[in-house]
Amino acid sequence: MANPFNEQGWTEPNGTGRQGFDLLRSKWHEVPFHSMDRMYSRQLLEIPAEQLNQLWQKALDEQRLGMNYDVRGWYYELYHQFMSGKKIIDYGSGLGFDAITFASHGAHVTCIDVVENNLKVIKRLAEHRGLQNQITTIYLEELSSLKQLNDRYDVVWCCGSMIHSPFQFTRNECQILADHLKIGGRWIELGYPEQRWLNEGKMSFEDWGDRTDGTAPWVEWKDLSKINRLLEPFQFDIVLYFEFHRSEFNWFDLIKRDTTGNLENYAQKKAVFQYSLPAETENGDVPGVENYQKRIRDLESDLAGMKNSTSWKLTAPLRAISRMIKGGK
């Protein structure tokens, strides 16, 4: 078997990262558009704005509705309210399906990508939709490009973008991004699990990239242990972690821990679906308990609808969410 950890050709002595980003650029100017199709972002820039917007919306709907609900629709359902008002880094933003969706729900998103034309497509779409004040872009030419991040963010969002480079190269990126994440902020990432790599023949990561993502220079599996090693010395707790779609993908939702002992900014411990019951009064009553119970019923109703959907395949996270709502373990 070829050595899956051969990282030769990704780094240069000066440590700028440009060599590795050039490898990624050679692939990701061609981006997923429809479920069975890829397009070059420069081709999309040649299309009039209204037509581009219509094509983009059609492509998004194909990935989030109906039989493809389990591609993007499930996490839009899970996170769109949570993202409202948040400052988000969308790292490897591609054509902005996630960035524009979350911005339309009130998020402020910084899109970072290795392909400048991808970012130009996002900017055109944002302007057409009146979201230009909620979306900013950073062209990732080399690691020093991330110096443009001059704030602390609520969420680092990496939807499939952190699996396409070797471990040490990826770790250099993670260290910068994690440093810009607030205490109590969320690291949310989609990856490929080790089981998929095993099922598909334990090939070199270069060959696996070619197989899974069509000429991608590298694809590397992720698990919690590897994520923690990429992020250390920053420490995170688990909000959600699961494999889905026949172990083809895994999902990481982590919350940044305050290691100083100061809990002032660490109130989001259980995140998306946790509600705190109000304190009892002296006579044992709980003020507002009816509202609390209604919220629980509404959430359980939503979950029941998701479970009954023929396109909802993510049974593991649903069970986890249901247990959180009901106070279980």
Side-chain angles (χ1 to χ4, degrees):
M1 182 185 71
N3 177 15
F5 307 107
N6 179 16
E7 302 186 7
Q8 186 176 2
W10 280 85
T11 58
E12 61 281 286
N14 60 14
T16 64
R18 182 185 289 269
Q19 189 168 319
F21 289 128
D22 283 344
L23 283 171
L24 293 170
R25 258 185 287 280
S26 68
K27 162 60 183 173
W28 294 114
H29 63 282
E30 180 191 42
V31 285
F33 198 57
H34 298 289
S35 60
M36 301 299 292
D37 192 20
R38 293 172 182 264
M39 292 192 69
Y40 294 99
S41 49
R42 58 175 171 76
Q43 294 174 315
L44 295 174
L45 289 172
E46 297 170 359
I47 299 173
E50 179 58 34
Q51 184 181 355
L52 172 62
N53 184 66
Q54 292 174 1
L55 286 172
W56 183 92
Q57 186 63 53
K58 182 179 179 181
L60 174 62
D61 289 345
E62 184 185 282
Q63 298 177 58
R64 71 182 181 92
L65 301 173
M67 294 302 294
N68 288 326
Y69 184 79
D70 63 333
V71 178
R72 294 183 189 270
W74 72 270
Y75 65 70
Y76 291 155
E77 186 71 30
L78 190 63
Y79 289 106
H80 74 271
Q81 289 185 337
F82 169 77
M83 294 294 190
S84 180
K86 299 289 194 300
K87 295 184 66 174
I88 303 169
I89 294 173
D90 186 354
Y91 196 73
S93 48
L95 293 179
F97 291 117
D98 297 338
I100 291 174
T101 297
F102 291 138
S104 70
H105 286 94
H108 296 270
V109 187
T110 298
C111 297
I112 304 176
D113 203 273
V114 295
V115 178
E116 196 167 19
N117 280 342
N118 292 349
L119 297 171
K120 289 179 179 179
V121 170
I122 292 174
K123 289 171 75 172
R124 284 190 68 193
L125 289 164
E127 290 170 3
H128 188 79
R129 292 167 174 248
L131 298 171
Q132 63 270 24
N133 294 328
Q134 290 173 252
I135 292 181
T136 58
T137 62
I138 294 176
Y139 172 43
L140 187 58
E141 192 171 13
E142 56 184 38
L143 280 173
S144 64
S145 303
L146 296 177
K147 291 180 180 179
Q148 296 174 66
L149 295 170
N150 55 7
D151 208 341
R152 289 288 183 265
Y153 294 81
D154 301 296
V155 179
V156 173
W157 180 269
C158 314
C159 196
S161 59
M162 283 294 200
I163 58 175
H164 292 111
S165 54
F167 179 89
Q168 187 55 52
F169 187 92
T170 305
R171 176 171 160 76
N172 293 337
E173 300 172 274
C174 289
Q175 291 298 298
I176 298 171
L177 296 173
D179 190 43
H180 283 279
L181 185 64
K182 295 177 179 177
I183 298 299
R186 302 279 278 280
W187 185 282
I188 301 174
E189 181 173 346
L190 178 143
Y192 294 172
E194 183 182 18
Q195 189 60 50
R196 177 173 178 175
W197 179 67
L198 295 172
N199 292 344
E200 296 181 1
K202 299 189 292 186
M203 62 190 70
S204 72
F205 291 150
E206 295 99 326
D207 290 343
W208 201 35
D210 186 59
R211 171 173 176 165
T212 58
D213 287 307
T215 73
W218 190 278
V219 166
E220 183 164 342
W221 57 264
K222 292 284 189 69
D223 61 11
L224 279 171
S225 174
K226 190 174 285 190
I227 290 279
N228 285 331
R229 285 186 287 122
L230 287 166
L231 293 170
E232 64 184 9
F234 302 101
Q235 296 184 35
F236 289 78
D237 290 322
I238 302 168
V239 177
L240 288 174
Y241 169 70
F242 51 90
E243 295 183 8
F244 63 100
H245 206 277
R246 302 178 300 277
S247 289
E248 289 186 8
F249 308 106
N250 51 2
W251 190 260
F252 306 87
D253 184 343
L254 311 176
I255 186 168
K256 188 176 180 182
R257 183 187 303 166
D258 187 345
T259 57
T260 67
N262 176 15
L263 301 180
E264 181 179 354
N265 296 317
Y266 199 49
Q268 283 186 285
K269 175 67 176 161
K270 291 272 184 167
V272 182
F273 285 111
Q274 177 160 354
Y275 290 90
S276 298
L277 193 63
E280 293 183 358
T281 61
E282 291 183 1
N283 61 8
D285 294 332
V286 180
V289 69
E290 294 84 0
N291 291 334
Y292 172 82
Q293 291 171 337
K294 182 178 184 302
R295 284 187 289 177
I296 293 293
R297 287 195 301 271
D298 288 344
L299 284 169
E300 289 177 333
S301 176
D302 289 343
L303 286 169
M306 294 178 196
K307 289 178 181 178
N308 292 330
S309 170
T310 57
S311 62
W312 181 259
K313 301 175 183 177
L314 307 178
T315 57
L318 280 171
R319 289 195 296 271
I321 293 167
S322 182
R323 286 195 295 271
M324 280 193 285
I325 291 172
K326 295 177 181 179
K329 296 182 179 179

